[in-house]
PDB file of all heavy atoms in Angstrom:
ATOM      1  N   LEU A  38      -4.844  29.430  25.194  1.00  0.00           N
ATOM      2  CA  LEU A  38      -4.446  28.464  26.252  1.00  0.00           C
ATOM      3  C   LEU A  38      -5.469  28.182  27.221  1.00  0.00           C
ATOM      4  O   LEU A  38      -5.669  26.961  27.647  1.00  0.00           O
ATOM      5  CB  LEU A  38      -3.147  29.047  26.923  1.00  0.00           C
ATOM      6  CG  LEU A  38      -2.050  29.302  26.135  1.00  0.00           C
ATOM      7  CD1 LEU A  38      -0.842  29.953  26.850  1.00  0.00           C
ATOM      8  CD2 LEU A  38      -1.580  28.173  25.403  1.00  0.00           C
ATOM      9  N   THR A  39      -6.275  29.096  27.615  1.00  0.00           N
ATOM     10  CA  THR A  39      -7.334  28.927  28.498  1.00  0.00           C
ATOM     11  C   THR A  39      -8.500  28.098  27.952  1.00  0.00           C
ATOM     12  O   THR A  39      -8.985  27.113  28.570  1.00  0.00           O
ATOM     13  CB  THR A  39      -7.971  30.215  29.120  1.00  0.00           C
ATOM     14  OG1 THR A  39      -8.490  31.005  28.074  1.00  0.00           O
ATOM     15  CG2 THR A  39      -6.966  30.951  29.944  1.00  0.00           C
ATOM     16  N   GLY A  40      -8.779  28.360  26.616  1.00  0.00           N
ATOM     17  CA  GLY A  40      -9.796  27.421  26.029  1.00  0.00           C
ATOM     18  C   GLY A  40      -9.312  26.083  25.800  1.00  0.00           C
ATOM     19  O   GLY A  40     -10.123  25.148  25.927  1.00  0.00           O
ATOM     20  N   ALA A  41      -8.187  25.844  25.456  1.00  0.00           N
ATOM     21  CA  ALA A  41      -7.504  24.436  25.301  1.00  0.00           C
ATOM     22  C   ALA A  41      -7.404  23.844  26.635  1.00  0.00           C
ATOM     23  O   ALA A  41      -7.783  22.555  26.700  1.00  0.00           O
ATOM     24  CB  ALA A  41      -6.147  24.562  24.685  1.00  0.00           C
ATOM     25  N   TYR A  42      -7.197  24.415  27.654  1.00  0.00           N
ATOM     26  CA  TYR A  42      -7.103  23.947  29.022  1.00  0.00           C
ATOM     27  C   TYR A  42      -8.597  23.504  29.500  1.00  0.00           C
ATOM     28  O   TYR A  42      -8.777  22.355  29.788  1.00  0.00           O
ATOM     29  CB  TYR A  42      -6.642  24.803  30.059  1.00  0.00           C
ATOM     30  CG  TYR A  42      -6.555  24.351  31.404  1.00  0.00           C
ATOM     31  CD1 TYR A  42      -5.573  23.420  31.871  1.00  0.00           C
ATOM     32  CD2 TYR A  42      -7.516  24.735  32.325  1.00  0.00           C
ATOM     33  CE1 TYR A  42      -5.608  22.906  33.052  1.00  0.00           C
ATOM     34  CE2 TYR A  42      -7.627  24.138  33.681  1.00  0.00           C
ATOM     35  CZ  TYR A  42      -6.550  23.315  34.051  1.00  0.00           C
ATOM     36  OH  TYR A  42      -6.565  22.907  35.243  1.00  0.00           O
ATOM     37  N   ALA A  43      -9.459  24.317  29.194  1.00  0.00           N
ATOM     38  CA  ALA A  43     -10.895  23.962  29.631  1.00  0.00           C
ATOM     39  C   ALA A  43     -11.386  22.845  28.790  1.00  0.00           C
ATOM     40  O   ALA A  43     -12.059  21.884  29.250  1.00  0.00           O
ATOM     41  CB  ALA A  43     -11.737  25.179  29.575  1.00  0.00           C
ATOM     42  N   ALA A  44     -11.263  22.948  27.499  1.00  0.00           N
ATOM     43  CA  ALA A  44     -11.686  21.864  26.580  1.00  0.00           C
ATOM     44  C   ALA A  44     -11.072  20.455  26.841  1.00  0.00           C
ATOM     45  O   ALA A  44     -11.688  19.561  26.794  1.00  0.00           O
ATOM     46  CB  ALA A  44     -11.376  22.256  25.097  1.00  0.00           C
ATOM     47  N   GLY A  45      -9.855  20.445  27.255  1.00  0.00           N
ATOM     48  CA  GLY A  45      -9.086  19.124  27.656  1.00  0.00           C
ATOM     49  C   GLY A  45      -9.677  18.558  28.863  1.00  0.00           C
ATOM     50  O   GLY A  45      -9.566  17.294  28.869  1.00  0.00           O
ATOM     51  N   HIS A  46     -10.223  19.266  29.749  1.00  0.00           N
ATOM     52  CA  HIS A  46     -10.719  18.582  30.959  1.00  0.00           C
ATOM     53  C   HIS A  46     -12.046  18.272  30.936  1.00  0.00           C
ATOM     54  O   HIS A  46     -12.577  17.531  31.723  1.00  0.00           O
ATOM     55  CB  HIS A  46     -10.447  19.650  32.171  1.00  0.00           C
ATOM     56  CG  HIS A  46      -8.997  19.757  32.648  1.00  0.00           C
ATOM     57  ND1 HIS A  46      -8.407  18.764  33.297  1.00  0.00           N
ATOM     58  CD2 HIS A  46      -8.079  20.710  32.401  1.00  0.00           C
ATOM     59  CE1 HIS A  46      -7.154  19.094  33.628  1.00  0.00           C
ATOM     60  NE2 HIS A  46      -6.939  20.238  32.874  1.00  0.00           N
ATOM     61  N   HIS A  47     -12.838  18.658  29.956  1.00  0.00           N
ATOM     62  CA  HIS A  47     -14.300  18.331  29.966  1.00  0.00           C
ATOM     63  C   HIS A  47     -14.653  17.740  28.510  1.00  0.00           C
ATOM     64  O   HIS A  47     -15.793  17.870  28.138  1.00  0.00           O
ATOM     65  CB  HIS A  47     -15.126  19.714  30.101  1.00  0.00           C
ATOM     66  CG  HIS A  47     -14.829  20.288  31.312  1.00  0.00           C
ATOM     67  ND1 HIS A  47     -15.160  19.791  32.598  1.00  0.00           N
ATOM     68  CD2 HIS A  47     -14.158  21.471  31.730  1.00  0.00           C
ATOM     69  CE1 HIS A  47     -14.854  20.539  33.624  1.00  0.00           C
ATOM     70  NE2 HIS A  47     -14.168  21.576  33.080  1.00  0.00           N
ATOM     71  N   LYS A  48     -13.647  17.053  27.890  1.00  0.00           N
ATOM     72  CA  LYS A  48     -13.943  16.449  26.665  1.00  0.00           C
ATOM     73  C   LYS A  48     -14.592  15.046  26.665  1.00  0.00           C
ATOM     74  O   LYS A  48     -14.223  14.140  27.375  1.00  0.00           O
ATOM     75  CB  LYS A  48     -12.655  16.332  25.920  1.00  0.00           C
ATOM     76  CG  LYS A  48     -12.898  16.333  24.399  1.00  0.00           C
ATOM     77  CD  LYS A  48     -11.426  16.397  23.716  1.00  0.00           C
ATOM     78  CE  LYS A  48     -11.078  17.693  23.368  1.00  0.00           C
ATOM     79  NZ  LYS A  48     -11.598  18.332  22.123  1.00  0.00           N
ATOM     80  N   GLY A  49     -15.669  14.960  25.978  1.00  0.00           N
ATOM     81  CA  GLY A  49     -16.510  13.683  26.005  1.00  0.00           C
ATOM     82  C   GLY A  49     -16.174  12.943  24.645  1.00  0.00           C
ATOM     83  O   GLY A  49     -15.459  13.512  23.829  1.00  0.00           O
ATOM     84  N   LEU A  50     -16.820  11.891  24.385  1.00  0.00           N
ATOM     85  CA  LEU A  50     -16.699  11.214  23.284  1.00  0.00           C
ATOM     86  C   LEU A  50     -17.192  11.894  22.052  1.00  0.00           C
ATOM     87  O   LEU A  50     -16.635  11.821  20.973  1.00  0.00           O
ATOM     88  CB  LEU A  50     -17.399   9.781  23.293  1.00  0.00           C
ATOM     89  CG  LEU A  50     -16.867   8.849  24.220  1.00  0.00           C
ATOM     90  CD1 LEU A  50     -17.743   7.564  24.344  1.00  0.00           C
ATOM     91  CD2 LEU A  50     -15.442   8.355  23.772  1.00  0.00           C
ATOM     92  N   LEU A  51     -18.232  12.695  22.173  1.00  0.00           N
ATOM     93  CA  LEU A  51     -18.792  13.385  20.929  1.00  0.00           C
ATOM     94  C   LEU A  51     -18.093  14.707  20.776  1.00  0.00           C
ATOM     95  O   LEU A  51     -18.397  15.460  19.754  1.00  0.00           O
ATOM     96  CB  LEU A  51     -20.265  13.675  21.285  1.00  0.00           C
ATOM     97  CG  LEU A  51     -21.131  12.332  21.378  1.00  0.00           C
ATOM     98  CD1 LEU A  51     -22.500  12.596  21.635  1.00  0.00           C
ATOM     99  CD2 LEU A  51     -20.959  11.513  20.031  1.00  0.00           C
ATOM    100  N   ASP A  52     -17.298  15.148  21.712  1.00  0.00           N
ATOM    101  CA  ASP A  52     -16.564  16.537  21.647  1.00  0.00           C
ATOM    102  C   ASP A  52     -15.258  16.401  21.072  1.00  0.00           C
ATOM    103  O   ASP A  52     -14.146  16.651  21.600  1.00  0.00           O
ATOM    104  CB  ASP A  52     -16.458  17.107  22.938  1.00  0.00           C
ATOM    105  CG  ASP A  52     -17.745  17.561  23.641  1.00  0.00           C
ATOM    106  OD1 ASP A  52     -18.713  17.890  22.833  1.00  0.00           O
ATOM    107  OD2 ASP A  52     -17.893  17.570  24.836  1.00  0.00           O
ATOM    108  N   ALA A  53     -15.189  15.956  19.776  1.00  0.00           N
ATOM    109  CA  ALA A  53     -13.900  15.685  19.150  1.00  0.00           C
ATOM    110  C   ALA A  53     -13.404  16.961  18.392  1.00  0.00           C
ATOM    111  O   ALA A  53     -12.488  16.858  17.533  1.00  0.00           O
ATOM    112  CB  ALA A  53     -13.997  14.561  18.163  1.00  0.00           C
ATOM    113  N   THR A  54     -13.959  18.060  18.624  1.00  0.00           N
ATOM    114  CA  THR A  54     -13.572  19.287  17.911  1.00  0.00           C
ATOM    115  C   THR A  54     -12.284  19.952  18.451  1.00  0.00           C
ATOM    116  O   THR A  54     -11.994  19.776  19.662  1.00  0.00           O
ATOM    117  CB  THR A  54     -14.608  20.366  17.976  1.00  0.00           C
ATOM    118  OG1 THR A  54     -14.855  20.750  19.272  1.00  0.00           O
ATOM    119  CG2 THR A  54     -15.918  19.947  17.270  1.00  0.00           C
ATOM    120  N   ALA A  55     -11.630  20.549  17.649  1.00  0.00           N
ATOM    121  CA  ALA A  55     -10.270  21.060  18.066  1.00  0.00           C
ATOM    122  C   ALA A  55     -10.549  22.384  18.944  1.00  0.00           C
ATOM    123  O   ALA A  55     -11.594  23.026  18.760  1.00  0.00           O
ATOM    124  CB  ALA A  55      -9.382  21.576  16.803  1.00  0.00           C
ATOM    125  N   PRO A  56      -9.629  22.653  19.853  1.00  0.00           N
ATOM    126  CA  PRO A  56      -9.822  23.891  20.605  1.00  0.00           C
ATOM    127  C   PRO A  56      -9.717  25.117  19.707  1.00  0.00           C
ATOM    128  O   PRO A  56      -9.124  25.066  18.752  1.00  0.00           O
ATOM    129  CB  PRO A  56      -8.648  23.813  21.678  1.00  0.00           C
ATOM    130  CG  PRO A  56      -7.714  23.029  21.110  1.00  0.00           C
ATOM    131  CD  PRO A  56      -8.426  21.971  20.171  1.00  0.00           C
ATOM    132  N   THR A  57     -10.343  26.255  20.214  1.00  0.00           N
ATOM    133  CA  THR A  57     -10.237  27.496  19.535  1.00  0.00           C
ATOM    134  C   THR A  57      -8.945  27.992  19.472  1.00  0.00           C
ATOM    135  O   THR A  57      -8.154  27.953  20.307  1.00  0.00           O
ATOM    136  CB  THR A  57     -11.190  28.454  20.219  1.00  0.00           C
ATOM    137  OG1 THR A  57     -12.464  28.035  20.312  1.00  0.00           O
ATOM    138  CG2 THR A  57     -11.167  29.865  19.418  1.00  0.00           C
ATOM    139  N   ASP A  58      -8.471  28.376  18.249  1.00  0.00           N
ATOM    140  CA  ASP A  58      -7.186  28.965  17.969  1.00  0.00           C
ATOM    141  C   ASP A  58      -7.207  30.384  17.492  1.00  0.00           C
ATOM    142  O   ASP A  58      -7.713  30.730  16.525  1.00  0.00           O
ATOM    143  CB  ASP A  58      -6.564  28.082  16.791  1.00  0.00           C
ATOM    144  CG  ASP A  58      -5.107  28.475  16.421  1.00  0.00           C
ATOM    145  OD1 ASP A  58      -4.468  29.216  17.276  1.00  0.00           O
ATOM    146  OD2 ASP A  58      -4.649  28.192  15.292  1.00  0.00           O
ATOM    147  N   PHE A  59      -6.695  31.194  18.472  1.00  0.00           N
ATOM    148  CA  PHE A  59      -6.682  32.637  18.193  1.00  0.00           C
ATOM    149  C   PHE A  59      -5.453  33.075  17.583  1.00  0.00           C
ATOM    150  O   PHE A  59      -5.106  34.277  17.657  1.00  0.00           O
ATOM    151  CB  PHE A  59      -6.955  33.469  19.464  1.00  0.00           C
ATOM    152  CG  PHE A  59      -8.336  33.268  19.906  1.00  0.00           C
ATOM    153  CD1 PHE A  59      -8.600  32.488  20.993  1.00  0.00           C
ATOM    154  CD2 PHE A  59      -9.430  33.891  19.398  1.00  0.00           C
ATOM    155  CE1 PHE A  59      -9.891  32.362  21.581  1.00  0.00           C
ATOM    156  CE2 PHE A  59     -10.693  33.746  19.799  1.00  0.00           C
ATOM    157  CZ  PHE A  59     -10.918  33.086  20.993  1.00  0.00           C
ATOM    158  N   THR A  60      -4.610  32.216  17.057  1.00  0.00           N
ATOM    159  CA  THR A  60      -3.253  32.711  16.498  1.00  0.00           C
ATOM    160  C   THR A  60      -3.156  32.518  15.014  1.00  0.00           C
ATOM    161  O   THR A  60      -2.102  32.294  14.503  1.00  0.00           O
ATOM    162  CB  THR A  60      -2.227  31.835  17.238  1.00  0.00           C
ATOM    163  OG1 THR A  60      -2.393  30.476  16.947  1.00  0.00           O
ATOM    164  CG2 THR A  60      -2.150  32.111  18.646  1.00  0.00           C
ATOM    165  N   GLY A  61      -4.274  32.538  14.341  1.00  0.00           N
ATOM    166  CA  GLY A  61      -4.234  32.437  12.858  1.00  0.00           C
ATOM    167  C   GLY A  61      -3.539  33.638  12.210  1.00  0.00           C
ATOM    168  O   GLY A  61      -3.334  34.651  12.950  1.00  0.00           O
ATOM    169  N   PRO A  62      -3.224  33.698  11.059  1.00  0.00           N
ATOM    170  CA  PRO A  62      -2.409  34.610  10.429  1.00  0.00           C
ATOM    171  C   PRO A  62      -3.191  35.990  10.412  1.00  0.00           C
ATOM    172  O   PRO A  62      -2.489  37.070  10.624  1.00  0.00           O
ATOM    173  CB  PRO A  62      -2.125  34.210   8.972  1.00  0.00           C
ATOM    174  CG  PRO A  62      -3.166  33.111   8.847  1.00  0.00           C
ATOM    175  CD  PRO A  62      -3.464  32.592  10.094  1.00  0.00           C
ATOM    176  N   ARG A  63      -4.489  36.038  10.313  1.00  0.00           N
ATOM    177  CA  ARG A  63      -5.232  37.254  10.283  1.00  0.00           C
ATOM    178  C   ARG A  63      -5.302  37.986  11.687  1.00  0.00           C
ATOM    179  O   ARG A  63      -5.039  39.187  11.821  1.00  0.00           O
ATOM    180  CB  ARG A  63      -6.471  37.019   9.774  1.00  0.00           C
ATOM    181  CG  ARG A  63      -6.687  36.732   8.302  1.00  0.00           C
ATOM    182  CD  ARG A  63      -8.040  36.607   7.808  1.00  0.00           C
ATOM    183  NE  ARG A  63      -8.055  36.380   6.413  1.00  0.00           N
ATOM    184  CZ  ARG A  63      -8.982  35.647   5.822  1.00  0.00           C
ATOM    185  NH1 ARG A  63     -10.076  35.265   6.398  1.00  0.00           N
ATOM    186  NH2 ARG A  63      -8.916  35.506   4.470  1.00  0.00           N
TER     187      ARG A  63
END
Side-chain angles (χ1 to χ4, degrees):
L38 299 176
T39 58
Y42 178 78
H46 284 285
H47 301 291
K48 204 171 262 281
L50 290 175
L51 299 176
D52 293 330
T54 59
T57 303
D58 179 18
F59 290 105
T60 58
R63 290 180 181 156

